[in-house]
Amino acid sequence: MKRYPDLPASVTALEEEVLERWKAEGTFQKSLEKTRDGLPFVFYEGPPTANGRPGIHHVFSRSIKDAVSRFRTMQGRHVPRMAGWDTHGLPVEIEAEKKLGISGKRQIEEVGIARFNEVCRDSVLAYTDVWEQFSARIGYWLDYSKPYVTYHSDYVETVWWLLRQIHDRGLIYRGHKILPYCPRCGTGLSSHEVALGYKDVKDPSLYLTLPIVAAAGEPDGREFLVWTTTPWTLVSNVALAVNPELEYAEVEHQGRRLVLATARVPALFGAEAPVVRTFPATELVGLAYRRPFDWVDPLGYGDADGAARAWHVFPAAFVTAEDGTGIVHLSPAFGADDYTVGRDNGLPVIQPVDDRGAFRADLPLVGGRFVKDADTDLLIDLKTRGMVFKSTREEHSYPHCWRCGSPLLYMARDSWYVRTTQVREKLLANNAEIRWFPPEVGSGRFGEWLENNVDWALSRSRYWGTPLPAWVCEADPSHLHVVGSFAELRGLAGGLPEPFDPHRPFIDEVTFGCTAEGCAGTMRRTPEVIDVWFDSGAMPFAQHHYPFENRDAFERQYPADFICEGVDQTRGWFYSLLAIATLVGPRIAELTGNPALDGPSYRNVVVNDLILDPEGQKMSKSKGNVVDPAVAIAQHGADAIRWYLLSVSQPWIPKRFDPEGVREVQRKTFDTLRNTYKFFALYADLEGWTPDSPAPSVDARPVIDRWLLSRLASVTKDVREDYEGYNLTHAVRAVADFVVDDLSNWYVRRSRERFWGNLDGTDAQSAYATLYEALVTTARLMAPVAPFFADWLHRALVGSESSVHLADFPVEDAARIDAGLERGMAAVRTLSTLGRAAREEVGIRVRQPLAALYAVIPQGVETGGDLLAILRDELNVHRVEFMDAAEELVTFSARPNFKTIGKAHGKNTQAAAEAIRGIPSADLARFRKGEDVGYEVDGRPWTLTPPDLDIVQTATGELTVESEGGYTVALDAVVTPELRAEGLAREVVNRVQKLRKDAGLQVQDRIRLGVSGGPELVAALEAWRGEVAGDTLAAELEVLGTPLASDGYDTTREVDLDGTPAHIGIARAG
RNA sequence: GGGCCUGUAGCUCAGUUGGUUAGAGCGCACGCCUGAUAAGCGUGAGGUCGGCCGUUCGAAUCGGCCCAGGCCCA
């Protein structure tokens, strides 16, 4: 009768079979239903952008997410796992541009925003099917039935609501942002894009002089020496900056008095420079100077106060004396540092350049010209006014547009900000409540970043994104209304088109009368969309369309217990989730009446690092070293890959994806477990054992069973605690070690004979019950990480309806943990190793029985008679004796325990160690019996205490062979005639078994056996007749001193038994 | 330039609050076992713990500096 199924032919066949089962029976759904009333365990899935295919790194983070979710589900927690899609943003727009065969904002607007966004919307979900299949195939259970999609109207509405809450706290404002900008494409570039386009080009290097103006407005005779590589920005100069830490010098040069950093004097004027005097930067701060070009009225770009502050010297830490002159010209509209200094000091932002990079048409000399083309004319103009000290062209690396090759300009663009700096302390406090794995990402990389938090630049001058719900009055731009819901907008605008799409360009058409008191202006939406990171960070709220719907669902699912993403999300999703939670926390607490919700939106976060190729190189399409997950899974199966990724090293360490390592996992862990199952299934079927068969109580089982169940309980405890503490790597390694080492290589190996025959006896019943329990528990322990094989195994053992994922995660029975027994067995295994080494040394194979093994073990380790029987069997010796039973065979020596004596002796530790090592064997023998023994250190007497030392026993006679730690083994290697006879009998059994197998007999087939050979062999077989017949299942055994009659047997064979010739024949017994 | 991570055997990784003989697997060499067999087991060789300096009775472990690789930021 076949109760226990055969393993499928291949790993992939197994996984596909399991996938079919899950699909057919809706196992995932069942697991959610089963836990419906359980305590929620909240997990947030970070939304991927579905406009590309998943890569191997997605397998990695998903393995972690899935393992934790499955584990908690098995613990009875309710773990809904809602898929989501990140659908807005520049990457999507770029795909759409490719599709339309266009490039740049101008062409997008020619195509029309409506058409363009339609293409974006259509392309962004192009790969969702691929992703869904991918998730399914790797065994990532995720609910795709109603995913949250960031472009859906409900989602957008929640985002608007969140922005409104932030605005109500006064934390949204308009400002400028300096962006790398392509004047040809009319678009800002992300830092990633900028990095793509650096080119070496020749640009001006201009040293100019700017006269210092005395208090009365008159020249004071000195001039600043200033360096710039962008002469065109001089038109919008508003200030100079010096580093307050630097020393400056006044130099006399051709009758002029020039001021610059002392450190730069030699480079510009030579070693013999005529320095008049030097002075600290503080002398310069606040001085006024005359600007190089006075064409632009600052009042057009700021208030009168700002204008009054312009054209003075300000301190700025970013100024260096490594090149230039240590005096930097500031044009806040065209440089990030310039902008920051300008903003901090209330300076105007003079911006006379349009979107195409051309100067305002009304300017003299350069009006209407592309800024870089104006450099030469500006230079000539300065020269004619005697303001040029030195002018060259220098080659340097400068960013260009990766699409069109135009040089980029750093330009101030209007931008909307969230004043996150105002909640910095709360951000830090909330972050302190999050458990980071590893902690240093939270305290270090993320913590530092929060410490240096700058306001969140919220807006993007793009098309396909959540429109910024800010309406600005045409009559007075200070009148601002942030709309918090569609209903509100409908009310303000007196209706909305149906169906309503909140995206551009439709939303741009919606206008309404100014909401400011007594203003008759019209309010128009500001054209920007928002940063996509705000979209994804809004996910805890927006996936439920909170607070418009599903308030209960939201409250049950906020905050997350667990999230997991790549370390690249530190400034991405990890930040946007935390920032939004912090910004709206007080409001959420108020709405829900739950003050605890004014906190972080996630409590535990596992950070995973990159997956590199086998050579440790980053995977990239250009290098061609990208691993396609579909190919890898087809080769190795999902279980092995998941197991490999989690076991090879901690998630937050960058790891190489080595197919050899995956194969090793498959061979070592999975094949071993498969073999263990095959062994169990083979004999359980033969013997008709089922889980309902009688099972002796654990106390009544043999020591090796109690040992295995103790180990099983210990491992269960460790693994459960590891999973609970997000230490997946430890958990996985502990399971693998248990399977390979304890279960297969010791328990099964040492217990094999117990499984055949004799099911009526309690020994076999114990063995089956023990192995069965170990296999079932192992399946459950590994289920979170290897969901396929674990489920197959569990069903094979328990029943085809019994998915492991609907089972309870094991809880260890603490009463079964017997630490003493585990130590004792460990001792036996150590002694086995030493015994085998000893046999190796004397060259006597294990099949040859020997009389005795003498062993020494450390104090405090208990090895009962049962354990010693295992050792006898393993080493094939008749007796094991402990040497201290015969002290004349043993010498004692002391090994100091530094941990203890170090505390007692401090600086004299080394002397104490020497003294302890010098204690004579006889004294140690007395000490072992409990007598006081003293020693002396530095003239002071000390009394020996047990923790101070380990006593090592050494055999004194000729027997000593192997020793390790506190363990020593001595083998009696004398082969007596009796032992030789026994060995010969075992040799015969060995040859017969081989012959049985070669003859194609089944393990349970009975035979007739005939053996012929010399007198020694005949005598040996007669002496061991019963054992030989029993071991070979021989119903008849014919032992002959004369040649064997071949025709009496089906198969015969001449064999050599370690030098003794023999002739054996077997036939199947009827 | 700043922050963080990593560096232990040919390869992949362990190494508890510092404790004196630094472990495991793979690979390699040799051998064993055979009623889990296109399996299993053992033995052995192999390491100045990236380098230098320091703290300490004692450092792979703590501190400083440096080197190499990676990530993030500028």
Side-chain angles (χ1 to χ4, degrees), chain A residues 899-912:
Chain A
K899 204 162 182 169
T900 325
I901 65 168
K903 284 202 178 80
H905 294 279
K907 286 193 189 282
N908 290 324
T909 303
Q910 298 304 341

Side-chain angles (χ1 to χ4, degrees), chain A residues 568-613:
Chain A
D568 53 323
Q569 297 294 331
T570 327
R571 284 154 170 80
W573 199 48
F574 295 151
Y575 177 67
S576 62
L577 273 179
L578 180 68
I580 293 173
T582 304
L583 289 161
V584 302
R587 180 75 177 125
I588 300 299
E590 182 189 321
L591 276 177
T592 58
N594 182 356
L597 298 190
D598 183 9
S601 42
Y602 50 98
R603 305 231 165 248
N604 296 282
V605 51
V606 174
V607 179
N608 59 271
D609 210 309
L610 284 180
I611 297 187
L612 311 168
D613 75 3

Side-chain angles (χ1 to χ4, degrees), chain A residues 31-67:
Chain A
S31 77
L32 289 171
E33 282 156 27
K34 179 171 182 265
T35 53
R36 181 180 304 279
D37 299 325
L39 184 66
F41 179 84
V42 182
F43 163 72
Y44 292 160
E45 162 77 352
T49 307
N51 72 340
R53 292 170 182 277
I56 192 80
H57 54 286
H58 292 109
V59 181
F60 185 28
S61 58
R62 289 172 169 233
S63 299
I64 299 168
K65 295 172 182 181
D66 190 57

Side-chain angles (χ1 to χ4, degrees), chain A residues 113 284 492 544-545 616 692:
Chain A
I113 298 173
L284 298 177
L492 287 166
H544 301 294
H545 193 206
D692 300 327

Side-chain angles (χ1 to χ4, degrees), chain A residues 72 95 98 234 264 278 314 403 580 763 870 946 1012:
Chain A
R72 292 297 185 179
E95 277 301 306
K98 274 190 204 152
L234 292 169
R264 296 302 297 165
T278 63
F314 293 89
R403 270 184 291 235
I580 293 173
D763 188 51
I870 294 172
S1012 69

Side-chain angles (χ1 to χ4, degrees), chain A residues 355-429:
Chain A
D355 283 354
R356 298 170 181 234
F359 278 111
R360 236 168 57 193
D362 62 311
L363 296 187
L365 187 63
V366 296
R369 292 173 60 188
F370 180 59
V371 291
K372 284 202 164 245
D373 296 339
D375 279 345
T376 309
D377 286 344
L378 290 167
L379 189 66
I380 291 167
D381 183 80
L382 288 170
K383 213 169 230 168
T384 58
R385 290 190 277 141
M387 293 169 71
V388 173
F389 169 76
K390 184 179 162 192
S391 164
T392 56
R393 292 181 80 81
E394 303 284 343
E395 190 167 274
H396 68 149
S397 182
Y398 191 83
H400 290 68
C401 178
W402 62 275
R403 270 184 291 235
C404 70
S406 310
L408 300 180
L409 306 178
Y410 285 85
M411 297 225 314
R413 313 288 300 164
D414 283 339
S415 189
W416 294 74
Y417 287 88
V418 179
R419 203 181 306 276
T420 51
T421 48
Q422 191 155 317
V423 295
R424 181 188 294 153
E425 295 309 315
K426 193 68 197 291
L427 283 168
L428 288 164

Side-chain angles (χ1 to χ4, degrees), chain A residues 981-1001:
Chain A
E982 188 182 352
L984 273 176
R986 306 262 303 225
E987 293 287 341
V988 169
V989 170
N990 167 259
R991 299 309 192 280
V992 173
Q993 303 292 25
K994 214 170 268 177
L995 194 55
R996 281 179 59 108
K997 182 161 187 67
D998 292 347
L1001 296 181

